[in-house]
Amino acid sequence: MAANKILITGGAGFIGSHLIRLFVNNYPDYHIYNLDKLTYAGNLENLKDIEGADNYTFIKGDIVDEQFVKGLFAEHAFDSVIHLAAESHVDRSIKNPTEFLFTNIVGTVNLLNAAKEVWAADFSDKVFYHVSTDEVYGSLDDGGYFLETTAYDPQSPYSASKASSDHFVRAYSNTYKLPIKISNCSNNYGPNQFPEKLLPLMINNIKQNKPLPIYGKGENIRDWLYVVDHAKAIDAIFHHGKLGETYNIGGFNEWKNIDIVHLLCKVMDRKLGREEGTSAQSITYVQDRAGHDMRYAIDAKKIMNELGWEPSLQFEEGLEKTVDWYLENEDWLENVTSGNYQKYYNEQYS
Ligand code: NAD
Ligand code: DAU
C-alpha cells in the first residue's frame, strides 16, 4: 500500500499516543502527522520518546475548524487518515452534550469533506479509517454479544455522537465511494489514560487513600482490552482490513465494575506494601450515572478469523503493567490532575 503520509487525529490522547508510537517506530517509510487540539485530554508528554523522530510531525489544531482542516489537507495531501480525535468521556457528555456534537460529528464531517476534496482525482490507495466505540450498539441486558451487524442503539450523548459520526463515514462511502474502514472497540485500559475514566481514577484515589466511587451497585459490566492491543488491531485493519468494512475489537474479557475494582485494590495493596483488604475499605457506592448502560460485550471473531489479530496480554498481566506505569510516572499523574481536574472532580463527585 502506498500510504506514505498518514494523518492521525487525536494522537496526543490515550489511544492515539499508543497508535502514533507504534506507527512511528514500526513504519519508518511512513510520515506520521499527529493533528490534535490538545484539550484537557491531550498531552504531548505522552509522546516524549518519539517527538524527535524524522518521520513524525505534530500539528496543533481543531477538527471543528473547517477552513483549517481544508487548508491542512491542501498543504499536505495526506494519503490516509486514521481518525481518533473525539470528546471521549460519557460523564462529560452528560454534562455538556453540545461539545460532543461539534467535535465528534462536525469534526468528523470536516475531515471527510477535506479528504473527499483532496482525493477527488483518485481514490486508489487511499483510506479514511474511523475509530469508533462499542457503545454505539447500546446496552446488553443479558447474554449475547455485539456483532458488526448489531443495530445501532446509542444511549448517551457520547455514544449518540459517535454513532452519528459512524453513519456519516458510511454515508460518504455509499454516496461518494470514499474508501473507508471503521472499527468499534470495547473499553481500553493501560498507561497514559486520563484519570477521569474508571481504572486510572481508582488507581489515583487508592494511592491517595481517597474514596473509591462506584456508580450504582457496581454491577455494570465492561469488556476490557489493553490499549496496545487496540493499537495493534488498528494496525492490522489499516493494512489488511477490507475497504468499506466494520471490525469489532474486544478481548472477550468481561468484568463487573465492583469486581474489577476489588482486583485493582488487591494488586495495589501488594504493590504499595499494604495489608490485603486495606484499599477496598475505601470503596464507596455513589449516585448512579444517568442512563448507565448495563453491559457491553464484543464478539471479536471477525477480526480474529479474518486478520489473525488477538489480544497479546492476559488481563491480570495488563493490569499489573498499568499499575506499575502509574506508580512509576507520578509526575505525569500530578501534572494532569492539577488545575482544572480538581474542578471537574469536585463537580462530578461532590
Ligand atoms: P482521549 O479523550 O484520551 O483523547 C482524545 C484526543 O482527541 C485528545 O488528545 C484531544 O486533545 C483530541 N481532541 C479532542 N477534541 C479535538 C478537536 N476538536 N480537534 C482535534 N483534536 C481533538 O480519547 P481516547 O480514549 O484515546 O479515545 C480515542 C478514540 O477512540 C475516540 O474516538 C474514542 O471514541 C475511541 N474509543 C475509545 C475507547 C476507550 O476505551 N478509551 C474505546 C473505544 C473507542
Ligand atoms: O466501551 C468503550 C468506551 O469505554 C469508550 O468509547 C469511551 O471513550 C470510554 O470512556 C469508555 O466508556 P465507559 O463509560 O464504559 O468508561 P468509564 O471508565 O467512564 O466507566 C467504566 C464503568 O465504570 C462504567 O460502568 C461507569 C463506571 N464508573 C466510572 C467512573 C469514572 C464508576 O463506577 N465510577 C467512576 O468513578
Side-chain angles (χ1 to χ4, degrees), residues 88 133-135 158 187 198 213 215 222 257 289 292 349:
S88 71
T133 170
D134 61 357
E135 297 197 16
Y158 162 68
N187 285 62
L198 180 73
Y215 296 164
R222 296 293 183 263
N257 292 338
R289 173 183 280 173
H292 197 171
Y349 295 101

Side-chain angles (χ1 to χ4, degrees), residues 53-161:
D54 289 341
N55 63 339
Y56 171 73
T57 303
F58 173 69
I59 302 161
K60 185 170 188 298
D62 185 347
I63 59 170
V64 178
D65 182 341
E66 186 183 4
Q67 291 315 314
F68 164 75
V69 172
K70 275 193 176 161
L72 196 68
F73 274 73
E75 184 185 347
H76 295 287
F78 305 112
D79 297 295
S80 302
V81 178
I82 309 180
H83 172 38
L84 292 94
E87 286 293 333
S88 71
H89 187 37
V90 173
D91 292 324
R92 287 187 190 251
S93 83
I94 293 167
K95 287 205 163 64
N96 182 8
T98 311
E99 200 165 338
F100 286 68
L101 185 157
F102 282 117
T103 287
N104 297 0
I105 307 177
V106 176
T108 300
V109 173
N110 284 343
L111 291 165
L112 287 166
N113 282 336
K116 177 167 83 70
E117 218 170 281
V118 80
W119 295 341
D122 184 7
F123 280 165
S124 56
D125 286 336
K126 306 290 193 283
V127 181
F128 189 106
Y129 180 164
H130 177 59
V131 174
S132 192
T133 170
D134 61 357
E135 297 197 16
V136 298
Y137 298 122
S139 177
L140 294 163
D141 289 328
D142 42 30
Y145 291 90
F146 295 137
L147 292 162
E148 285 81 358
T149 50
T150 300
Y152 276 29
D153 186 22
Q155 300 292 321
S156 73
Y158 162 68
S159 54
S161 68

Side-chain angles (χ1 to χ4, degrees), residues 9-17 35-43 61-64 83-89 102-104 107 130-134 158 162 183-189 192-194 196-197 224 230:
T9 69
F14 168 47
I15 300 167
S17 61
L35 167 60
D36 200 296
K37 184 183 173 184
L38 299 182
T39 67
Y40 77 95
N43 186 350
D62 185 347
I63 59 170
V64 178
H83 172 38
L84 292 94
E87 286 293 333
S88 71
H89 187 37
F102 282 117
T103 287
N104 297 0
H130 177 59
V131 174
S132 192
T133 170
D134 61 357
Y158 162 68
K162 291 296 290 189
S183 58
N184 296 82
C185 189
S186 64
N187 285 62
N188 285 214
Y189 71 98
N192 308 93
Q193 187 169 30
F194 192 79
E196 65 188 353
K197 307 279 172 77
W224 295 91
H230 186 187

